[in-house]
Amino acid sequence: MQRWRGLENLPGGWGRCVVTIGVFDGVHRGHQQLIGRAVRMARERGLPCVLMTFDPHPAEVVRPGSHPAQLTTLRRRAELVEELGVDVFCVLPFTPELSRVPADEFVHEVLVDRLHAAAVVVGENFTFGHRAAGDVASLRRLGERFGFVTEGAGLVSDSAEGGAITFSSTYIRSCVDAGDVAAAARALGRPHRLEGIVVRGDGRGRDLGFPTANLSTPRFAAIPADGVYACRFIHVGHGEPAVTRSLPAAVSVGTNPTFSGRERRVEAYVLDVNEDFYGERVALDFVARLRGMERFATTEALIDEMRRDVERTRQVLATGEG
Ligand SMILES: Cc1cc2nc3c(=O)[nH]c(=O)nc-3n(C[C@H](O)[C@H](O)[C@H](O)COP(=O)(O)O)c2cc1C
Ligand SMILES: Nc1ncnc2c1ncn2[C@@H]1O[C@H](COP(=O)(O)OP(=O)(O)O)[C@@H](O)[C@H]1O
């Protein structure tokens, strides 16, 4: 998969392509169907499939301070869409100028002049251009004029829930925010992943018998509600070839009220290992919520509960999808 930032450096002799456009935060099951459709159309026509996305999130540019919690970093989004068969991951820097480009001008300049779109695939609720004036109908009209096909794909619902839940990034953010990581995983088609770098904490964990890797997370990362979770701890080794390990972990999200902490922390006790993770880039896949964050009267009571958390983590990950 090629990765482009902006449209200034397209390869020479760039021909036609199939384009799908969106923020695609989470690359959830609805996104997966849409992208799958674009990839199939591209294959049928013998053309490359270009996925166009934006950075930063358009909401932040249109209404500063309104950046939604981010389900996937740009790097993770690229990884996930590559698995779906996308040929080009194209990131358009979303600037105030771009937000003011009228819909028809965006189509003409970006989709037609630059990308030479033969087909454009978007969700049926897709809007674009200044004041979100462009929609699937206007895209279709412009496509007839400029010679590309438009496909407005239907939104995908969860059949297990009787179609009551339509998959969307907003719905998944609310699941994560409420700590319902199982519902988030159903909508994503995989557990919600939080990435981070391991930093120093208060140096207390080891004395408790549970050293924890404290994660420093990206600025807008979607962090599950305070509580204790069974997770998979993902660590990519430094060897050649790099080996990725997925280890069971009991994870605490919260301010450590037992010790009257103030900062909200994400800490992972990785089961059955004793290893230095400081400075490492790691990730947590949130599989199940075990309980809420509690303030214990004594350190011993906390330790007893952590032992139970570890046992439940073992059980959940042995029987579940983890
Ligand atoms: C599985 C697990 C469950 C935890 N549950 C709680 C809890 O309910 N209440 C609390 O105050 N701290 C809880 N903690 C956080 C500990 O207080 C924290 O790991 C300890 O203070 C070490 O902090 P440090 O890594 O900054 O040294 C939990 C930690 C783990 C790993
Ligand atoms: N099983 C383990 N799970 C998590 N971290 C571990 C484990 N074994 C060793 N460590 C290391 O110990 C550190 C945590 O020790 P801890 O006493 O909790 O200090 P801190 O407060 O700095 O996190 C981790 O950052 C990691 O480098």
Side-chain angles (χ1 to χ4, degrees), residues 200-206 208 210-214 227-229 250-252 255-259 265 267-269 291-296 302 305-306 309-310:
R200 280 182 196 278
D202 298 326
R204 194 189 298 123
R206 198 169 284 282
L208 297 178
F210 297 95
T212 54
N214 293 35
V228 179
Y229 298 86
V251 172
S252 159
T255 57
N256 300 348
T258 305
F259 303 99
R265 299 218 169 133
E267 342 188 326
Y269 168 65
R291 64 176 174 90
M293 184 57 20
E294 282 176 49
R295 181 188 188 107
F296 290 93
L302 169 64
E305 193 60 37
M306 286 167 90
D309 293 333
V310 168

Side-chain angles (χ1 to χ4, degrees), residues 40-60:
R40 273 197 309 281
M41 283 177 78
R43 299 286 186 272
E44 279 161 21
R45 290 168 162 76
L47 299 176
C49 177
V50 176
L51 181 140
M52 178 180 280
T53 193
F54 306 99
D55 179 52
H57 196 289
E60 179 65 18

Side-chain angles (χ1 to χ4, degrees), residues 83-129:
E83 286 168 18
L84 297 172
V86 166
D87 300 293
V88 178
F89 183 72
C90 170
V91 181
L92 274 199
F94 201 83
T95 57
E97 295 73 60
L98 183 61
S99 77
R100 284 191 291 269
V101 173
D104 52 350
E105 202 177 308
F106 178 85
V107 169
H108 188 230
E109 291 189 1
V110 175
L111 299 181
V112 178
D113 273 4
R114 295 275 180 167
L115 287 176
H116 311 157
V120 178
V121 184
V122 292
E124 64 185 17
N125 61 346
F126 175 72
T127 58
F128 66 103

Side-chain angles (χ1 to χ4, degrees), residues 55-68 94-96 219-220:
D55 179 52
H57 196 289
E60 179 65 18
V61 175
V62 178
R63 277 166 281 116
S66 72
H67 200 302
F94 201 83
T95 57
R219 182 153 166 234
F220 299 112

Side-chain angles (χ1 to χ4, degrees), residues 3-320:
R3 292 171 199 220
W4 304 345
R5 191 160 181 101
L7 291 168
E8 287 75 39
N9 301 307
L10 259 63
W14 177 254
R16 304 202 74 184
C17 63
V18 173
V19 185
T20 180
I21 316 168
V23 178
F24 297 115
D25 188 23
V27 193
H28 58 64
R29 283 166 64 190
H31 294 147
Q32 289 163 26
Q33 282 219 10
L34 182 72
I35 296 166
R37 178 84 192 107
V39 168
R40 273 197 309 281
M41 283 177 78
R43 299 286 186 272
E44 279 161 21
R45 290 168 162 76
L47 299 176
C49 177
V50 176
L51 181 140
M52 178 180 280
T53 193
F54 306 99
D55 179 52
H57 196 289
E60 179 65 18
V61 175
V62 178
R63 277 166 281 116
S66 72
H67 200 302
Q70 195 176 46
L71 297 168
T72 41
T73 58
L74 216 47
R75 174 211 296 258
R76 175 79 174 139
R77 255 179 274 169
E79 244 172 54
L80 291 165
V81 307
E82 180 164 29
E83 286 168 18
L84 297 172
V86 166
D87 300 293
V88 178
F89 183 72
C90 170
V91 181
L92 274 199
F94 201 83
T95 57
E97 295 73 60
L98 183 61
S99 77
R100 284 191 291 269
V101 173
D104 52 350
E105 202 177 308
F106 178 85
V107 169
H108 188 230
E109 291 189 1
V110 175
L111 299 181
V112 178
D113 273 4
R114 295 275 180 167
L115 287 176
H116 311 157
V120 178
V121 184
V122 292
E124 64 185 17
N125 61 346
F126 175 72
T127 58
F128 66 103
H130 189 45
R131 297 190 191 286
D135 58 10
V136 176
S138 51
L139 203 51
R140 193 162 282 135
R141 248 190 335 267
L142 290 160
E144 281 161 15
R145 191 155 108 218
F146 292 119
F148 63 81
V149 180
T150 301
E151 175 132 338
L155 303 181
V156 185
S157 317
D158 194 347
S159 48
E161 304 281 339
I165 289 166
T166 300
F167 299 131
S168 72
S169 306
T170 308
Y171 165 71
I172 299 165
R173 285 183 196 116
S174 71
C175 295
V176 171
D177 194 51
D180 191 351
V181 296
R186 277 196 301 277
L188 287 166
R190 60 175 187 279
H192 172 55
R193 175 169 293 189
L194 184 61
E195 298 176 72
I197 309 276
V198 178
V199 295
R200 280 182 196 278
D202 298 326
R204 194 189 298 123
R206 198 169 284 282
D207 297 336
L208 297 178
F210 297 95
T212 54
N214 293 35
L215 265 69
S216 162
T217 53
R219 182 153 166 234
F220 299 112
I223 299 175
D226 286 7
V228 179
Y229 298 86
C231 292
R232 291 238 152 234
F233 179 91
I234 315 294
H235 180 252
V236 182
H238 297 285
E240 260 309 327
V243 176
T244 302
R245 287 180 302 163
S246 163
L247 305 163
V251 172
S252 159
V253 179
T255 57
N256 300 348
T258 305
F259 303 99
S260 306
R262 281 162 188 260
E263 253 176 72
R264 190 168 186 236
R265 299 218 169 133
V266 178
E267 342 188 326
Y269 168 65
V270 188
L271 276 57
D272 311 320
V273 306
N274 183 6
E275 224 173 294
D276 184 356
F277 292 115
Y278 287 127
E280 295 290 297
R281 179 190 292 280
V282 301
L284 296 173
D285 282 353
F286 283 78
V287 177
R289 180 176 171 89
L290 301 179
R291 64 176 174 90
M293 184 57 20
E294 282 176 49
R295 181 188 188 107
F296 290 93
T298 62
T299 305
E300 291 66 37
L302 169 64
I303 294 172
D304 280 348
E305 193 60 37
M306 286 167 90
R307 279 204 196 97
R308 280 190 283 273
D309 293 333
V310 168
E311 282 326 302
R312 291 180 65 199
T313 296
R314 248 184 239 295
Q315 283 164 14
V316 166
L317 297 181
T319 55

